[in-house]
Amino acid sequence: MADETPPRTLTALLVLGCPQVPVQTSIAFYLISRLKKAGITPVVAGNKAANTLLVVSDPDRHYLGEVMDLDRAVAMITEKKRDFDRCFVFIHNDAGVSYAATMGVISGAKLYALVYGEHFDEQVKKIDFPCTVIAAKAVHNPLPLKKAIDEVAPWAA
């Protein structure tokens, strides 16, 4: 009888910054849902405001699983205590670009830059490191970014 190890579950880290742009929370929930349906375990790492918006929006944790502080996640990855198969960095300002660049260096995950906001095209121009860029002008209406994510289907990659 062969000793068969069960397949490892894929994981994805969602890196959330300041929730200044309204679409961030809804797109995070959408992506969490799609990843779960694909059998990928999502983990959210954000600042206090971003995490609180998600936790308050899903108090019974129908969608949310593990949620952690962003600085803690960066430290764990840097110290090689944890890593992920995919990493989605939400970008609407320079800090988001910096986090994406950092994740590209410290993590072995396939990196996705989700760029949105009023001036998303300016942020896209700042991305000069390897990643899959998913971008749309989405501020209050999440549908343009949802459509862009659906076209890439990162849960199937």
Side-chain angles (χ1 to χ4, degrees):
M1 187 160 154
D3 181 25
E4 293 193 23
T5 306
R8 187 177 68 82
T9 302
L10 296 176
T11 58
L13 181 66
L14 282 68
V15 176
L16 306 179
C18 176
Q20 179 182 5
V21 180
V23 300
Q24 178 174 273
T25 301
S26 60
I27 289 298
F29 275 125
Y30 175 71
L31 190 55
I32 289 166
S33 175
R34 292 304 306 252
L35 291 167
K36 282 184 167 186
K37 284 180 184 174
I40 300 169
T41 302
V43 175
V44 172
N47 67 23
K48 187 171 179 71
N51 288 349
T52 301
L53 277 171
L54 292 172
V55 169
V56 168
S57 298
D58 187 21
D60 295 325
R61 298 287 179 110
H62 293 291
Y63 294 97
L64 276 179
E66 185 178 359
V67 178
M68 71 174 71
D69 176 75
L70 179 53
D71 292 332
R72 180 173 163 247
V74 169
M76 290 174 69
I77 295 168
T78 301
E79 296 166 4
K80 306 293 184 209
K81 293 180 179 175
R82 189 160 186 193
D83 207 353
F84 299 86
D85 300 294
R86 294 182 176 99
C87 180
F88 299 88
V89 181
F90 287 64
I91 300 171
H92 69 87
N93 59 21
D94 291 348
V97 175
S98 294
Y99 272 112
T102 298
M103 289 300 176
V105 171
I106 67 172
S107 175
K110 180 166 175 48
L111 182 62
Y112 295 88
L114 302 178
V115 188
Y116 55 96
E118 186 70 30
H119 305 288
F120 77 99
D121 49 343
E122 292 172 22
Q123 297 305 321
V124 169
K125 291 176 188 171
K126 297 174 186 174
I127 297 173
D128 61 356
F129 46 88
C131 67
T132 300
V133 176
I134 303 172
K137 184 175 183 175
V139 179
H140 297 284
N141 179 1
L143 292 179
L145 187 54
K146 176 194 173 296
K147 181 180 178 192
I149 291 169
D150 289 344
E151 288 172 1
V152 174
W155 44 84

